[in-house]
Amino acid sequence: MRILGIESSCDETGIAIYDDEKGLLAHQLYSQVKVHADYGGVVPELASRDHVRKTLPLIDAAFAQAGCGPEDLDGIAYTAGPGLVGALLVGTSIGRSLAYGWDIPAVAVHHMEGHLLAPMLEENTPEFPFIALLVSGGHTMMVKVAGIGQYEVLGESVDDAAGEAFDKTAKLLGLDYPGGPRLAKMAEQGVAKRFVFPRPMTDKPGLDFSFSGLKTAASITIREKDDDDQTKADIAHAFQTAVIDTLVIKCKRALKQTDIKRLVIAGGVSANTQLRLQLERVMKGMKGEVFYPRTEFCTDNGAMIAYAGMQRLKAGQFATLDMKTKPRWPIDSLEPI
């Protein structure tokens, strides 16, 4: 089976072609960072317009890269949610229309299922069951995964997602959009333990997350301290350490509660080097293993949508002709395979 994947849930247009025997044949990605940089964050209307401009040219580029055409496809997968409704409508309408015109099936893919399954694009893939930590700009959740579509949400953020807290704190530090990766870079120059921020919701049972209080603590410190580069770096270091410690504590708790030794981390924040190092040490101590996608597949991309869509198409789960998007879509409501 060969499938075209379309990702347009936020500010990146991702197109990929995946073959179940040959693997990933093409991967095209356009980031809207420059479009939104002047505004300090994603402007939904501008995001939608840019998806309109870029999706079809990127599909043409993917066909050229893969050396194939529409006649070689067995299906199309597109992100139907969650995400920005306008951006989702672009990918959904294009994906569904092309599938209708080319007389092939289409499947609506859950964005976070795409992230969750992204490690399956690598050579070393996790076996079921495993625990998944999904951390991105819009989501932070801990999921027990018994199989594709068999998801039990063990905990999630009650306010800001980890990636959102990174971006907001970076903005307070005067860093340009996208702030999260810039804050992580600044933290490399920081002095450890000069500032210590709380590890929210780690002193009580459960696996839910909260990062708004941590963001507020960082905000107060930024306002009170001298505005020099070293102080900013020290605050960035303390903030990143607090977020990572919180995520690691919750992962250890989830693994012990479920007695599972395999951990998957995915989503944009999973590209954070320090988070990966910490979780690798934890899993080694627990005699377990951690899995994550390569850096280019941590952020939004078409490859993960193509892979997730292929699994759904193989199970006979096709989209109907109506073009529905789901800006809010609980991952544990998905149909199992």
Side-chain angles (χ1 to χ4, degrees):
M1 179 178 285
R2 185 171 294 180
I3 188 169
L4 173 73
I6 302 173
E7 157 59 25
S8 68
S9 65
C10 190
D11 60 342
E12 289 171 313
T13 311
I15 305 295
I17 298 174
Y18 188 87
D19 187 288
D20 61 352
E21 293 183 354
K22 298 179 180 179
L24 189 63
L25 301 181
H27 175 232
Q28 297 287 325
L29 183 68
Y30 172 77
S31 174
Q32 300 178 1
V33 167
K34 292 182 179 180
V35 175
H36 304 287
D38 290 342
Y39 305 94
V42 178
V43 181
E45 176 65 20
L46 296 181
S48 301
R49 292 181 183 184
D50 230 30
H51 286 307
V52 170
R53 286 191 289 264
K54 298 296 182 180
T55 302
L56 289 177
L58 286 175
I59 290 175
D60 289 338
F63 280 136
Q65 182 182 358
C68 65
E71 66 279 2
D72 300 304
L73 295 179
D74 297 294
I76 294 179
Y78 56 87
T79 303
L84 302 176
V85 63
L88 291 169
L89 279 169
V90 176
T92 296
S93 58
I94 291 176
R96 197 65 199 83
S97 299
L98 290 178
Y100 181 77
W102 294 338
D103 194 25
I104 54 177
V107 60
V109 174
H110 190 290
H111 178 73
M112 295 311 293
E113 181 174 58
H115 276 303
L116 188 151
L117 297 177
M120 302 299 185
L121 294 165
E122 308 301 332
E123 290 186 9
N124 184 28
T125 59
E127 295 181 1
F128 299 111
F130 58 78
I131 297 296
L133 172 65
L134 302 179
V135 276
S136 66
H139 300 84
T140 300
M141 63 177 68
M142 195 81 68
V143 184
K144 180 180 177 182
V145 182
I148 297 177
Q150 301 176 49
Y151 308 132
E152 178 186 354
V153 177
L154 303 176
E156 56 190 331
S157 179
V158 298
D159 42 53
D160 290 352
E164 184 180 5
F166 261 101
D167 288 339
K168 289 181 177 179
T169 303
K171 192 171 184 178
L172 293 171
L173 287 167
L175 299 176
D176 293 334
Y177 171 84
R182 297 179 190 276
L183 186 150
K185 184 69 175 178
M186 176 183 281
E188 294 176 3
Q189 309 302 319
V191 176
K193 299 183 179 179
R194 179 183 172 189
F195 301 106
V196 178
F197 295 135
R199 277 61 174 161
M201 296 185 73
T202 57
D203 58 349
K204 60 180 66 176
L207 294 167
D208 284 335
F209 301 89
S210 171
F211 293 105
S212 63
L214 173 57
K215 179 195 65 184
T216 300
S219 175
I220 293 171
T221 304
I222 292 168
R223 288 200 305 267
E224 291 179 347
K225 301 302 176 181
D226 292 335
D227 190 23
D228 64 273
D229 290 343
Q230 187 57 55
T231 296
K232 288 183 177 180
D234 296 343
I235 293 173
H237 186 283
F239 176 83
Q240 176 176 259
T241 301
V243 173
I244 290 174
D245 284 353
T246 301
L247 295 174
V248 170
I249 289 169
K250 296 287 185 173
C251 284
K252 290 172 67 176
R253 188 176 294 176
L255 292 163
K256 289 179 180 178
Q257 287 182 6
T258 58
D259 196 30
I260 292 175
K261 301 296 184 183
R262 289 177 291 274
L263 175 68
V264 161
I265 56 170
V269 182
S270 70
N272 186 285
T273 303
Q274 292 303 313
L275 176 61
R276 292 190 177 200
L277 290 174
Q278 289 256 29
L279 288 175
E280 285 173 359
R281 283 196 288 265
V282 166
M283 296 309 294
K284 185 176 181 181
M286 298 180 71
K287 294 181 171 54
E289 192 172 3
V290 60
F291 302 84
Y292 41 75
R294 72 196 78 166
T295 304
E296 63 184 314
F297 294 153
C298 289
T299 53
D300 296 347
N301 64 88
M304 67 182 192
I305 301 304
Y307 182 86
M310 176 168 288
Q311 309 313 310
R312 294 283 172 184
L313 283 174
K314 283 185 173 181
Q317 297 180 11
F318 307 144
T320 55
L321 282 175
D322 55 340
M323 293 178 285
K324 294 181 179 178
T325 60
K326 299 180 180 180
R328 297 183 182 276
W329 189 3
I331 194 170
D332 54 3
S333 69
L334 294 179
E335 184 177 346
I337 292 179

